[in-house]
């Protein structure tokens, strides 16, 4: 009998970087646990106990809203919003 080991594509961390910025809403999406770190240029989400580094491609970030629905968000627009709010 052979078995195939399946490794997860998800990356988990125990603690967020110190410079994280919480993202509570974007357009019509609301979030309870979405963060961005400028120093790592990564987005993080905490569905349970640990934080997950979110999947992204060159243009979009995949995350979950506070209603647990999947969302695909423009990284450029989100970073523009974060930059404008921190000024």
């Amino acid at each position: 009998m052979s078995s195939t080991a399946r490794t997860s594509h998800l990356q988990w961390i125990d603690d967020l970087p110190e410079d994280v910025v919480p993202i509570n809403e974007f357009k019509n999406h609301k979030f309870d646990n979405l963060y961005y770190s400028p120093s790592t240029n990564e987005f993080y989400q905490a569905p349970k106990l640990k934080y997950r580094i979110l999947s992204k491609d060159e243009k979009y970030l995949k995350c979950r809203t506070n209603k647990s629905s999947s969302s695909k968000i423009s990284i450029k627009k989100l970073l523009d919003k974060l930059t404008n709010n921190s000024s």
Side-chain angles (χ1 to χ4, degrees), residues 7-36:
T7 57
S8 175
H9 65 282
L10 302 176
Q11 293 180 318
W12 299 90
I13 59 172
D14 292 322
D15 298 307
L16 292 173
E18 290 184 18
D19 67 340
V20 292
V21 177
I23 303 167
N24 298 319
E25 61 182 68
F26 180 71
K27 295 195 174 187
N28 61 341
H29 304 291
K30 302 239 184 251
F31 304 99
D32 293 329
N33 57 3
L34 183 63
Y35 306 91
Y36 172 70

Side-chain angles (χ1 to χ4, degrees), residues 71-82:
S71 298
K72 190 174 177 181
I73 294 175
S74 166
I75 292 173
K76 181 181 182 328
K77 290 179 182 176
L78 181 57
L79 290 176
D80 286 347
K81 181 182 186 289
L82 290 172

Side-chain angles (χ1 to χ4, degrees), residues 24-78:
N24 298 319
E25 61 182 68
F26 180 71
K27 295 195 174 187
N28 61 341
H29 304 291
K30 302 239 184 251
F31 304 99
D32 293 329
N33 57 3
L34 183 63
Y35 306 91
Y36 172 70
S37 168
S39 66
T40 63
N41 193 31
E42 293 287 354
F43 293 91
Y44 303 90
Q45 196 161 32
K48 299 206 181 197
L49 298 176
K50 291 188 178 186
Y51 298 95
R52 178 169 56 104
I53 299 173
L54 297 177
S55 300
K56 63 182 179 181
D57 58 28
E58 291 181 18
K59 296 182 180 184
Y60 295 98
L61 166 72
K62 296 174 187 171
C63 60
R64 293 199 169 273
T65 66
N66 62 354
K67 295 180 181 177
S68 292
S69 62
S70 294
S71 298
K72 190 174 177 181
I73 294 175
S74 166
I75 292 173
K76 181 181 182 328
K77 290 179 182 176
L78 181 57

